[in-house]
Amino acid sequence: MAQDKPFEGVTVNIVTFTGPQIAEPLQRRAPDFEKLTGAKVQVITVPFSDLYNKLLTDFATGTNSYDAAVFAPQWMGDFIEPGYLEVLTDRVKGDAALKWDDIAPFFRDFSASYKGDVYTIPLDGDFQMAYYRTDLLKEAGLEPPKTWDDYLAIAEHFNGKDLNGDGKADYGSCIAKKRNAQSYWFITSIAGNFLQTQGTSEGAFFDTATMTPLIDNDGFRKALQIYVDSTKYGPPDEINLDVGDTRGLFTSGRCALTLDWGDIGTLAIDPKTSKVQDKVGAVIIPGTKEVVDRATGKLVACDATTCPNAIDGVNHAPFAAFGGWSGAINAAKDAKTKDAAYAFLSYMSAPEQANEDVTIGITGFNPYRTSQFENQDLWIKAGMSEAAAKSYLGAIEASLNSPNMVLDLRVPQNQRYQQIVLDTAIHRTLAGETKPDEAIQEIVTGWDEITEELGKDDQLTAYKASLGVTK
């Protein structure tokens, strides 16, 4: 019996954010895992805005309520340096069922590794993309957006029209803009295209020579104005909508365009909730024909020198926002509990489970394994048309393979820079409480204060080190 169920009597407490996304597959598969191994998995959920601090406080105080956690991999440095997370390097190398080499190199590197060792198991892959209604654009004779000017023009064209046949006015664009939620990545998806041109290693958050925030310049200023302008073509309460809200609006046919991670592609094929089956296309995040000259802070035209990675004269800088939810193990736990926690994370990530979960919209899991990109039948079987699968996977692969991909911020206390300072300043401007220039100064001041507090040289070293990635 012990051999059949090696973790009989073991309970694994695993924490993640209040879903249903991400928590749903963990909760759904926990009973099956218990039948196989004997381990009882209890999934604890907390609001996304609290997840980082809940984890850090639990680790730092020695409370150790959680045996494992599924969280943003960009936070892992803050948990690894004090020794809170278990090193998984040898485990993944010896785990044939996990098929580690099938996980795409980017996710094995950025989402799982830190200073040469593996600390997390990827369960998800994340890039922000633009989605559009193929039927609407075809009928109007419009092409999918290549630039942000295109995006706004398409949004304006469709805004106020009935897009789903229910007799009500609908929206040109739906973007989640709620504060203290999962919205603060969207501004970088716009701004990165103006700020980063020379490839991934150039970075889009700070100057790599001075650690000066790349905020007080005409590129970020233009991006912020685009973000504010997009609100004119969205739902009246857009600044209070989270991603779950905008996804529901898009799949119910009420939005011509949206920005999101990979979730829309699979939510759109759910026959129970989607009104836009076979009516959704995806493209790499729109770009720009003007980019920032970092010496002057002014915008200059794209050419072979200023935009060496441009496509048809457009600089695209697809943003690996968040990085993809990943699972880690509390190093303070006993060996048996750690073994059971690892076995559960490995089980969740193994192709037998993962290849199904990434095709189900409610999971929040998006493709991250090479085989998931190569096997189009996986997506067609799940309900996508061949054209939809090609569009969806193509947009993600174009982002993943871009030499100008923007990496998410991974320096000590990145959560303070983004989830607190950036999020607060952007939301205040969206709400009309401040002007864009005031938001820019708030961000610069806030980021500089954090950098000085933590040590400018140390933060700069960490930032430069984070810009190398294996793809």
Side-chain angles (χ1 to χ4, degrees):
M1 178 66 73
Q3 189 63 36
D4 291 340
K5 294 190 175 181
F7 303 119
E8 191 77 64
V10 177
T11 296
V12 176
N13 293 315
I14 186 165
V15 65
T16 192
F17 96 114
T18 306
Q21 305 90 0
I22 313 307
E24 186 277 336
L26 302 173
Q27 293 163 332
R28 172 168 43 85
R29 293 198 180 276
D32 292 337
F33 182 74
E34 183 175 3
K35 288 175 187 174
L36 287 169
T37 69
K40 182 177 179 60
V41 177
Q42 295 187 157
V43 182
I44 300 152
T45 61
V46 299
F48 179 78
S49 57
D50 298 338
L51 183 57
Y52 171 88
N53 284 319
K54 283 268 189 186
L55 275 169
L56 193 60
T57 301
D58 194 71
F59 289 141
T61 58
T63 306
N64 292 317
S65 307
Y66 314 124
D67 305 312
V70 176
F71 59 84
Q74 68 172 141
W75 301 339
M76 76 169 92
D78 289 348
F79 304 148
I80 290 168
E81 290 292 348
Y84 301 145
L85 301 186
E86 182 82 351
V87 179
L88 305 179
T89 310
D90 291 339
R91 289 183 188 262
V92 299
K93 285 180 180 175
D95 186 352
L98 180 58
K99 293 185 171 56
W100 185 249
D101 290 344
D102 181 46
I103 295 174
F106 172 73
F107 299 111
R108 290 204 310 266
D109 186 341
F110 184 83
S111 300
S113 303
Y114 186 83
K115 295 184 177 178
D117 272 313
V118 174
Y119 287 90
T120 78
I121 295 178
L123 302 173
D124 167 43
D126 276 336
F127 284 92
Q128 289 194 332
M129 305 176 287
Y131 293 91
Y132 62 94
R133 285 276 300 279
T134 53
D135 57 329
L136 298 179
L137 267 64
K138 183 178 180 181
E139 188 178 328
L142 297 171
E143 293 294 317
K146 292 182 179 178
T147 68
W148 290 108
D149 287 342
D150 294 342
Y151 186 96
L152 292 179
I154 294 168
E156 183 179 20
H157 177 83
F158 288 109
N159 193 53
K161 295 180 179 177
D162 179 8
L163 305 180
N164 62 355
D166 66 357
K168 297 177 183 176
D170 294 312
Y171 314 113
S173 167
C174 296
I175 303 173
K177 292 173 178 169
K178 184 178 180 179
R179 186 181 170 191
N180 287 331
Q182 300 171 80
S183 301
Y184 54 88
W185 283 280
F186 290 112
I187 184 61
T188 303
S189 270
I190 302 173
N193 301 276
F194 293 94
L195 301 173
Q196 181 179 288
T197 65
Q198 304 299 309
T200 298
S201 62
E202 187 184 29
F205 291 96
F206 297 96
D207 185 284
T208 53
T210 64
M211 201 60 183
T212 300
L214 296 175
I215 300 294
D216 190 3
N217 58 66
D218 286 353
F220 191 90
R221 195 167 282 108
K222 181 75 177 288
L224 183 52
Q225 192 59 56
I226 290 167
Y227 199 39
V228 170
D229 287 347
S230 71
T231 307
K232 294 187 294 190
Y233 311 121
D237 57 343
E238 189 176 55
I239 67 167
N240 295 313
L241 300 183
D242 199 353
V243 290
D245 302 313
T246 52
R247 288 166 185 170
L249 284 167
F250 188 85
T251 57
S252 64
R254 301 210 63 195
C255 313
L257 297 169
T258 191
L259 303 182
D260 208 324
W261 288 274
D263 304 61
I264 290 284
T266 47
L267 286 167
I269 59 174
D270 186 342
K272 296 175 190 171
T273 56
S274 178
K275 306 290 187 190
V276 292
Q277 286 178 280
D278 291 331
K279 297 177 181 178
V280 178
V283 286
I284 191 172
I285 209 80
T288 177
K289 295 181 179 180
E290 290 185 306
V291 294
V292 168
D293 178 339
R294 292 196 179 183
T296 65
K298 302 297 183 185
L299 289 171
V300 296
C302 261
D303 60 29
T305 302
T306 59
C307 303
N309 299 298
I311 301 170
D312 297 329
V314 177
N315 184 64
H316 294 274
F319 184 28
F322 194 90
W325 292 87
S326 300
I329 296 167
N330 186 343
K333 294 296 180 169
D334 64 90
K336 194 77 170 176
T337 301
K338 288 193 282 193
D339 288 348
Y342 174 83
F344 181 64
L345 293 173
S346 172
Y347 171 79
M348 291 300 304
S349 184
E352 290 79 5
Q353 287 67 245
N355 286 357
E356 178 183 12
D357 288 343
V358 296
T359 68
I360 302 170
I362 198 171
T363 65
F365 288 175
N366 305 151
Y368 61 96
R369 287 181 170 275
T370 301
S371 58
Q372 292 164 356
F373 292 106
E374 292 176 346
N375 183 9
Q376 201 172 94
D377 289 345
L378 194 71
W379 305 92
I380 293 171
K381 182 182 175 184
M384 280 191 188
S385 66
E386 188 173 336
K390 185 176 180 181
S391 173
Y392 175 68
L393 295 173
I396 299 175
E397 284 191 282
S399 305
L400 184 59
N401 296 329
S402 170
N404 201 37
M405 175 209 297
V406 173
L407 298 178
D408 211 342
L409 187 60
R410 198 165 87 167
V411 296
Q413 300 191 33
N414 55 69
Q415 181 262 358
R416 287 175 63 193
Y417 288 100
Q418 290 175 289
Q419 195 174 342
I420 297 176
V421 174
L422 179 69
D423 191 33
T424 301
I426 296 296
H427 192 271
R428 276 161 48 81
T429 291
L430 289 173
E433 296 172 12
T434 59
K435 302 292 186 187
D437 278 346
E438 293 173 309
I440 284 168
Q441 287 310 309
E442 281 181 33
I443 299 165
V444 170
T445 300
W447 283 15
D448 281 344
E449 286 175 355
I450 298 168
T451 298
E452 292 298 330
E453 176 193 331
L454 300 178
K456 189 174 185 177
D457 290 344
D458 289 342
Q459 291 297 88
L460 180 57
T461 298
Y463 181 57
K464 288 194 288 189
S466 75
L467 294 176
V469 68
T470 300
K471 291 192 286 186

